[in-house]
Amino acid sequence: MQHPPAVAVRGLEKTYPGGTRAIDGIDFTVEQGEFFGFLGPNGAGKTTTIKILATLLPKSAGRVEVAGIDIDRDARGVRASIGVALQEVGLDDLSKGRDFLVLQGRLYGVGRAEANRRADELLELVGLSGVGKRKIGSYSGGMRRRIDLAGALMHEPGILFLDEPTSGLDPQSRLAIWEHLEQLNAQGVTVMLTTQHMDEADRLCRRLAIIDHGRLVTEGSPSALKAGVGGDVVRVSFGHMESPDGRTDAALGALRQLPAVREADTTPDGLTATVDDGGTAAPAILRALNDVEVPVANLAVTRPSLDDVFLHHTGREIREADADEDAESRVWGQWMGVNRR
Amino acid sequence: MLILRESSYIYVRNLKTWLAQPTMIVAAVFSSAVMYLFFGEPLRGITGLPGFPASDYQAFLTAMVIVMAVVFSGSDMAMVLLTDIMSGYVDKLLLSPVNRFSILLGTLAIGATRAIAQVVAIVLVATAIGVRFEGGIVGILAVIVATTLLGIAMGCVGLIIAVRTRSVQVTVNSWLLFMPLAFLTSAFMPRDLITGWFQFAVGLNPIEYILVAVRTIIIDGWIWEHIVPGFWVLLGTSAVLVAAATYEYRRATN
């Protein structure tokens, strides 16, 4: 039996009233059971996309199917099949954690007894069992994200949309959320999240789309994206030599003979080589240098990061891209998301 | 009746939110007690004016205390709703598969509940200070029903303000809008004894007719010629405001 993709987006565009073009024609597909990431700086169009997929925001053009349902045809059907946790958390501070969960379940048509059972189960899962009877207003930032995530899971959705699920959290809370998400994905839940954190995308997502200025820049698995940027870099610094004249040239020549080495160059204290795979190239490099009797003091392999991927495709670092963004206009942009006039 | 069940979930949540803020409830009850204290006792001499329709000024004031409390609750409702919009909670509701109108109903129902709670509290205070309700028990029930409907109507005004402006600044100050509705009335002095532009303005204020009907039931009993206009005005105003709020709400959530 052929399953429809969890998300299928074709030619999606969004222009806000006032002319801001938040999404400029994007296509992507998320298969069922995937862990898919939308990576980009603030203001790239990530939140707008998630809000459109979740039926909270109308699109300007394009076609979107979620869980095999056209969002224009049956928005309620889409809403019933997905769980959503947005960046502006939208919690009810005066409500107790457990009451919030039960209500979430009820709103999605879960029966009373089942909603109560699920609430306890999920409080346990996200490590909030002890504070279920406390008002959400008294929760810390990490606890709020966790109760929100639990709320999105009350009706056991097959697809989960998360907008920056860990932004602003301390490392421990981030790790806890990551573990919950990995566990859910292992149980078959399709997860699509947005993030501006490279480490998060790298750890969680099996496939990534990089978005910048409302356009998809590139798409693929984190390792394929990194491999596309270029190979690993091996840096060698030489040890003490009695008569160093000509030795550097000999070493460079030896390295350039190696099939694993794509490029090699000298540095003030040694050599640098670009290779496909640092793990297998490093021993060969050491052997070649030994053969020409060049002592090695230090050898380091650096792999390209997703930062390099972003830099490679956009010409900017993601942090710089963030700095470009006017924080105020972003907040209002999101606000206008609900306030569609 | 899925829509009723869904509305009841939203309603219970709104009720819990309201009950979780006891200051709001205390303020609603105490403001009425303070009204009697400030205006009832010191101004009771007014009843001696020729043509004044009541001998007990506290009884005369009771209608004003009730109507004013309910009118100003519209401003509270606007703030409550705006808080939910700003916190993103409304989005959370809109993300769920519940019918849009369940959310609206659950919200307006809380306006009704607040009105009932306020009126009951005021009736108890009034009874405690010796006000006699000429309309009897049925009269008290009629007053409760009428002000409940007024509570819904004012909740609609609050909803329109919150949804339209989405501004804390405007919403916090929206009581200014309710002030003429509450004060351009014969609240303190019968209309016949008011003069000039004020009398003219009072004649244009729909709340005035509702106030007169409520007051008549309290101080005179069932004098239909004073009650019927208020009944129609209340019905008409509520219908228009519910329709307007539904329209605004639809526009904001589609």
Side-chain angles (χ1 to χ4, degrees), chain A residues 54 56 76 79-80 84 89-92 94 99-100 103-104 106-108 135 148 335 338-341, chain B residues 9 13 16-17 21 85-89 91-100 164 166 252 254:
Chain A
L56 197 57
R76 277 178 83 178
R79 289 181 200 129
V84 187
V89 173
L91 291 169
D92 179 7
L94 293 167
D99 290 351
F100 163 76
L103 175 62
Q104 275 296 110
R106 303 291 275 150
L107 292 176
Y108 281 82
K135 283 189 185 155
D148 195 34
W335 182 230
V338 220
N339 184 14
R340 60 206 78 116
R341 271 181 248 216
Chain B
Y9 302 149
R13 177 266 166 183
K16 281 185 179 168
T17 308
Q21 302 172 90
I85 294 175
M86 297 294 246
S87 74
Y89 190 73
D91 278 350
K92 183 129 281 182
L93 293 178
L94 293 176
L95 280 167
S96 77
V98 299
N99 193 305
R100 296 308 186 239
R164 251 289 152 160
R166 289 176 196 252
N254 264 339

Side-chain angles (χ1 to χ4, degrees), chain B residues 16-31:
Chain B
K16 281 185 179 168
T17 308
W18 188 46
L19 295 178
Q21 302 172 90
T23 352
M24 288 184 100
I25 302 165
V26 171
V29 177
F30 265 84
S31 60

